[in-house]
Amino acid sequence: MVHLKNDKEIDRLRASADLVGRTLGEVASHIAPGVTTNELDKIAEEYIRDHGAEPAFKGYRVGSLVFPATLCTSVNDQVVHGIPTNEPLKEGDILSADCGVIMDGFYGDSAYTFAIGHISDDTRALLTTTYESLMLAIGQATTGKRLGDIGAAVQNHCEARGYGVVKDLVGHGIGRNLHEDPQVPNFGRPGSGRKLKTGLTMCIEPMINRGTASIRTEGDGWTVKTSDALPSAHYEHMIAVRPGEADILTTFRYIEEALDELPYEQTFTQTHG
Ligand code: MG
Ligand code: MG
């Protein structure tokens, strides 16, 4: 069942979403070659608890599996749901950091793929295209459009560049639950699927692979990797459907301030008007 939110509920979701953005900004300020994802995870957990919230992923259960960390940290060919480790990040790696919080009963959820030091042009193009596909999808998340419009925006942009669009994992509604209806696929046909209503709040999160769309899950039951070991990128925003223009509840502003590099948003505007 889809729960549409009123403005008051959306403001509370925005507060949780903002804390996720700030947490990822804090993480971003510590990212460098030699740092471990366990260290980043501790920084995120402390930051969230210091701000009156709790990590949403730590203790999250799927059947008998319990996720052990605050962040999902997915490096290189790991697509999503990676578990933090004591392995130092290396120059040229990419890291998808996915963060969730619950504050005052409302969830926030956002992800960003970071470059560790200098990365190859191929990998940079993967990151840029994935980010662009997220923003194109958000452009479709307006009252009266359909879920298929969102999925098609991601799929067309990424497949035209030869990338694999992960289809076994999807975005989701969000609110008083981390995962609500509807599922939000990163593929689809324009004009098909559920019609979007004002007040629908959801996470749009393209997971895009350099090579094949095919994925597999590691023996830990969580970590999802590409089948061909080529890298994968992942960006996630939480939005509320509105007439004319979606309301983006999460923000990458704090990350981009911490990174001191040209924000993708700016690059995107320059490229696509
Ligand atoms: Mg997420
Ligand atoms: Mg999500």
Side-chain angles (χ1 to χ4, degrees), residues 98 109 172 179 203 205 236:
D98 195 342
D109 183 9
H172 50 94
H179 297 121
C203 291
E205 47 181 317
E236 176 179 20

Side-chain angles (χ1 to χ4, degrees), residues 242-255:
R242 294 282 186 206
E245 190 177 14
D247 184 359
I248 306 177
L249 304 177
T250 40
T251 175
F252 295 151
R253 181 159 55 97
Y254 307 109
I255 295 173

Side-chain angles (χ1 to χ4, degrees), residues 181-253:
D181 287 339
Q183 295 198 340
V184 185
N186 294 304
F187 59 95
R189 244 178 337 105
S192 74
R194 175 190 290 276
K195 208 173 212 179
L196 305 178
K197 291 186 179 160
T198 301
L200 173 62
T201 48
M202 59 186 166
C203 291
I204 303 179
E205 47 181 317
M207 292 154 262
I208 307 301
N209 301 345
R210 252 279 296 291
T212 178
S214 164
I215 56 172
R216 61 188 171 84
T217 305
E218 293 290 271
D220 61 23
W222 291 106
T223 311
V224 175
K225 282 184 155 187
T226 60
S227 297
D228 58 7
L230 288 174
S232 180
H234 174 219
Y235 293 87
E236 176 179 20
H237 266 317
M238 235 172 103
I239 64 102
V241 172
R242 294 282 186 206
E245 190 177 14
D247 184 359
I248 306 177
L249 304 177
T250 40
T251 175
F252 295 151
R253 181 159 55 97

Side-chain angles (χ1 to χ4, degrees), residues 41-264:
D41 191 66
K42 282 196 183 63
I43 288 162
E45 177 169 4
E46 204 173 291
Y47 191 87
I48 291 166
R49 295 195 191 280
D50 283 352
H51 289 79
E54 288 192 27
F57 302 160
K58 195 166 190 169
Y60 184 85
R61 285 174 174 277
V62 177
S64 61
L65 291 171
V66 183
F67 194 78
T70 293
L71 299 177
C72 296
T73 53
S74 307
V75 180
N76 297 334
D77 63 336
Q78 298 177 346
V79 180
V80 286
H81 305 163
I83 298 171
T85 70
N86 286 323
E87 180 93 15
L89 293 165
K90 303 183 305 296
E91 178 98 15
D93 284 347
I94 54 170
L95 164 69
S96 152
D98 195 342
C99 181
V101 306
I102 177 165
M103 187 166 65
D104 297 333
F106 286 83
Y107 281 91
D109 183 9
S110 180
Y112 193 94
T113 300
F114 296 94
I116 311 303
H118 179 77
I119 59 172
S120 72
D121 290 349
D122 277 0
T123 306
R124 174 61 67 189
L126 173 69
L127 265 49
T128 303
T129 298
T130 306
Y131 181 89
E132 287 170 349
S133 77
L134 170 61
M135 299 315 291
L136 289 167
I138 290 172
Q140 297 296 314
T142 57
T143 308
K145 290 276 194 173
R146 291 178 181 273
L147 275 178
D149 295 316
I150 291 175
V154 174
Q155 185 176 20
N156 294 341
H157 189 67
C158 296
E159 288 186 350
R161 285 153 183 78
Y163 295 134
V165 175
V166 174
K167 302 190 178 66
D168 303 329
L169 298 162
V170 295
H172 50 94
I174 188 166
R176 289 182 181 273
N177 302 290
L178 179 58
H179 297 121
E180 298 185 353
D181 287 339
Q183 295 198 340
V184 185
N186 294 304
F187 59 95
R189 244 178 337 105
S192 74
R194 175 190 290 276
K195 208 173 212 179
L196 305 178
K197 291 186 179 160
T198 301
L200 173 62
T201 48
M202 59 186 166
C203 291
I204 303 179
E205 47 181 317
M207 292 154 262
I208 307 301
N209 301 345
R210 252 279 296 291
T212 178
S214 164
I215 56 172
R216 61 188 171 84
T217 305
E218 293 290 271
D220 61 23
W222 291 106
T223 311
V224 175
K225 282 184 155 187
T226 60
S227 297
D228 58 7
L230 288 174
S232 180
H234 174 219
Y235 293 87
E236 176 179 20
H237 266 317
M238 235 172 103
I239 64 102
V241 172
R242 294 282 186 206
E245 190 177 14
D247 184 359
I248 306 177
L249 304 177
T250 40
T251 175
F252 295 151
R253 181 159 55 97
Y254 307 109
I255 295 173
E256 288 162 349
E257 284 169 7
L259 288 182
D260 192 32
E261 67 178 28
L262 183 69
Y264 287 118

